[in-house]
Amino acid sequence: MTSGASWLASADAVATDLFLDDLTEGELLALPFLFEFWAMPHQLPPEGAWRSWIIMGGRGAGKTRAGAEWVRAMVEGDRPLDKGRCRRMALVGETIDQVREVMIYGDSGILACSPPDRRPLWSASRKQLEWPNGAVAQVFSAHEPEGLRGPQFDGAWVDELAKWKKAQATWDMLQFALRLGEDPRVCVTTTPRNVGVMKGLLTMSSTVVTHAPTEANRANLAGSFLAEVRERYAGTRLGRQELDGLMLGDTDGAMWTSPALEAGRVDHAPDLTRVVVAVDPPVTGHAGSDECGIIVAGIAAGEAPEDWRAYVLEDATVHAATPRQWAEAAIAAMARHGADRIVAEVNQGGDLVEAVIRQVDPLVSLRQVRASRGKAARAEPVAALYEQGRVHHLRGLDLLEDQLCAMTSRGYEGKGSPDRLDALVWALHDLMILPGALRRRPRVRSL
């Protein structure tokens, strides 16, 4: 679906002039306020019967404009004094100030979007907007859920639901208040966060979602802003949430959390004492196999073991159709980082794993490891290193971090197999947990 604005921007000068010359004076005056013409696909409400529409996007993706225009579409009629679909709306934000400054008076707020003959008036004493056709919108703060007890509405716009401290209580009170008209609806504009109220709302059959990253609205954003946030946050979980507009899943009881991983992120690793490439080979080697987890990590060793710091440098995981392909990927990662050796799990392949690797490089330094305990038990001592602040991540490890945030003491609760996580555990176990005992251990050791 292409907006009229996109067509107009891509049309040549002749086509643009013909289009504009064909409009009457009234149509030209109305054109800036015809949102259907200017809107991007994610800013337009989906068809069909729904109760809640969630516009989930990155920072600056045009969510506020979409919410404001939806309110206009609900309360306005064909002419300025005609009644619209809704007569009593609720505007709910984290605070009254944020509703007023962002949702109402903001650059993309309701007043900025409204044509002069339909622009509502703000009544500060009553905390409400009043349209020329008699429709009103009352303002509420998410800090005071009980404020929604009593009033009733036929529509609502909710902004940044995922960041409210009393989100569930406020949302529940709003649902009881949406009882006017034949089909009361609510529009939710929010940057995603993996919180209970959002997870519950997304499971409802009456919920529809549109989504867009920050980049979708780049024509209306400062180039310096995009350049800065790309450089600072690209390849991080925070970037995926705040720029890509994706809701990331931190599982309840997970050994790793997004905030903890972000706290340990660095842009560069220092000079490293030792670097390894850890490999978690798939059970089989064909197009339908699991991925082969390949993680590169290094250690900056201090005088005492408690001073050692590990740095996860790269996730080189591949989906290989043949064993040789993942072996080549591991050897290539070793060469890129000047790694000292490969650490490979051999539970599934035994001698075959070594044979495949040595077909690519017969002289490669290789340590074989064998798992005798469950994934959660193996991961716990490595997770403890993170809790101590002794492991740091470079950027570009978002898929690995997704797996980490789905590992609990009960086991892995994500999709598929945690091949990246397994490889990480082997790498950090080799670098941080085993070093003092390496010379006393057999070549194939259990964990």
Side-chain angles (χ1 to χ4, degrees), residues 272-276 297-302 304-312 343 367 381-392 424-438 447:
L272 299 173
T273 309
R274 187 162 172 268
V275 177
V276 300
I299 185 174
E306 57 268 24
D307 296 327
W308 296 359
R309 295 293 183 269
Y311 295 82
V312 185
V343 179
R367 180 186 306 285
V382 173
L385 295 173
Y386 281 80
E387 292 179 4
Q388 297 164 9
R390 297 175 62 193
V391 183
H392 302 278
L424 172 82
V425 167
W426 290 121
L428 295 183
H429 193 272
D430 187 88
L431 290 168
M432 297 284 282
I433 298 174
L434 283 182
L438 289 182
L447 173 58

Side-chain angles (χ1 to χ4, degrees), residues 112-123:
C113 298
S114 300
D117 58 349
R118 297 166 184 256
R119 184 170 293 137
L121 296 176
W122 168 243
S123 174

